[in-house]
Amino acid sequence: MESKRAHSINILETPFSTVTSSGHWFHATRSTIKEYVPGLMKKYPFEELITKAVVWIDSADSLAMILFFILAFLMNAWIAALIALVFHYWWYHQKSAFVNRIITPLLSLFNKDFFQLLVAAVVLSFMGITGMYTAVVLGIIYFFLFKIGLLRRFWDWINAKNPPTDKLPLNDRVLKMVLVRYSMYENMPPEDVKKIDRHVQKAVLEAKQKKK
């Protein structure tokens, strides 16, 4: 097993999968990308491509938290919390469709600890001063739920109960779109978009067989 470090995350590689220190699992590997998009890793190291995918995976937490803080000033705090929860579920499952190169740095900023702590401290303090006590309590609860990724893990647990047989796992879908977007930007579009789908689906089946 090979360990790599880039962009403040640890990446562990095996012949069949890639996993980050924060627990993000990908069935695609370095060799998959070499086969799927030859030459892309000359422009972007493997660790950087994985990091960009993680940015989009984690964005469900940061965007939902920001959405709640905005909506709490516009409507009832309970309704804002419900909307933020629904948004989190929707974005976490559909985010791969929105992957693009320009927004990635902005989402990376939103995911930073210092940014989230600063936003939470300022907004919660203002809510407390203005008497928005329900919003403060819900905001604190949501902050910790999003900060430790508990909701993402809950969605993953539900998905694992009934995994779709005709689709890639969510993390691999995001990584696939990262590869597509950045390869097109570098004018080296993948010749066979289905190739990574076949490779990942094969890796998923092999992983399931090993668990039995």
Side-chain angles (χ1 to χ4, degrees), residues 14-67:
T14 74
F16 307 104
S17 62
T18 304
V19 63
T20 71
S21 55
S22 53
H24 299 302
W25 191 286
F26 302 89
H27 291 89
T29 62
R30 185 186 301 266
S31 59
T32 308
I33 298 177
K34 286 182 179 179
E35 181 181 1
Y36 176 57
V37 195
L40 184 61
M41 286 196 297
K42 294 180 181 178
K43 300 284 187 177
Y44 305 95
F46 177 69
E47 296 81 7
E48 183 176 352
L49 294 171
I50 293 293
T51 300
K52 293 181 186 300
V54 170
V55 166
W56 281 88
I57 295 169
D58 289 346
S59 67
D61 294 328
S62 55
L63 290 179
M65 182 184 72
I66 293 172
L67 179 63

Side-chain angles (χ1 to χ4, degrees), residues 25-202:
W25 191 286
F26 302 89
H27 291 89
T29 62
R30 185 186 301 266
S31 59
T32 308
I33 298 177
K34 286 182 179 179
E35 181 181 1
Y36 176 57
V37 195
L40 184 61
M41 286 196 297
K42 294 180 181 178
K43 300 284 187 177
Y44 305 95
F46 177 69
E47 296 81 7
E48 183 176 352
L49 294 171
I50 293 293
T51 300
K52 293 181 186 300
V54 170
V55 166
W56 281 88
I57 295 169
D58 289 346
S59 67
D61 294 328
S62 55
L63 290 179
M65 182 184 72
I66 293 172
L67 179 63
F68 169 76
F69 284 147
I70 293 174
L71 293 180
F73 288 102
L74 304 176
M75 60 184 66
N76 179 274
W78 289 102
I79 297 177
L82 178 60
I83 293 175
L85 180 64
V86 172
F87 171 82
H88 187 282
Y89 177 86
W90 174 79
W91 181 265
Y92 185 61
H93 288 82
Q94 304 299 327
K95 60 188 175 294
S96 58
F98 302 95
V99 171
N100 69 76
R101 188 180 57 86
I102 297 176
I103 298 179
T104 301
L106 180 62
L107 292 182
S108 180
L109 172 63
F110 289 167
N111 293 343
K112 299 292 186 184
D113 288 341
F114 80 88
F115 179 86
Q116 295 181 8
L117 289 170
L118 178 62
V119 170
V122 172
V123 175
L124 291 174
S125 296
F126 183 77
M127 286 178 172
I129 293 173
T130 55
M132 300 172 62
Y133 302 120
T134 300
V136 170
V137 173
L138 291 174
I140 293 174
I141 293 173
Y142 264 20
F143 175 78
F144 283 105
L145 283 178
F146 294 145
K147 194 70 190 68
I148 63 178
L150 190 59
L151 279 178
R152 286 189 288 106
R153 291 180 173 86
F154 180 66
W155 305 143
D156 286 339
W157 178 77
I158 293 177
N159 293 334
K161 295 294 182 180
N162 297 291
T165 57
D166 59 338
K167 294 183 179 180
L168 298 181
L170 291 174
N171 289 359
D172 290 296
R173 278 189 242 170
V174 174
L175 178 58
K176 173 186 172 181
M177 292 311 299
V178 167
L179 298 178
V180 169
R181 300 305 185 205
Y182 281 83
S183 62
M184 293 180 67
Y185 174 72
E186 297 295 342
N187 198 27
M188 50 176 71
E191 296 179 1
D192 184 4
V193 174
K194 294 295 183 181
K195 187 179 293 183
I196 192 171
D197 296 54
R198 293 193 296 266
H199 175 91
V200 171
Q201 287 168 350
K202 180 181 178 182

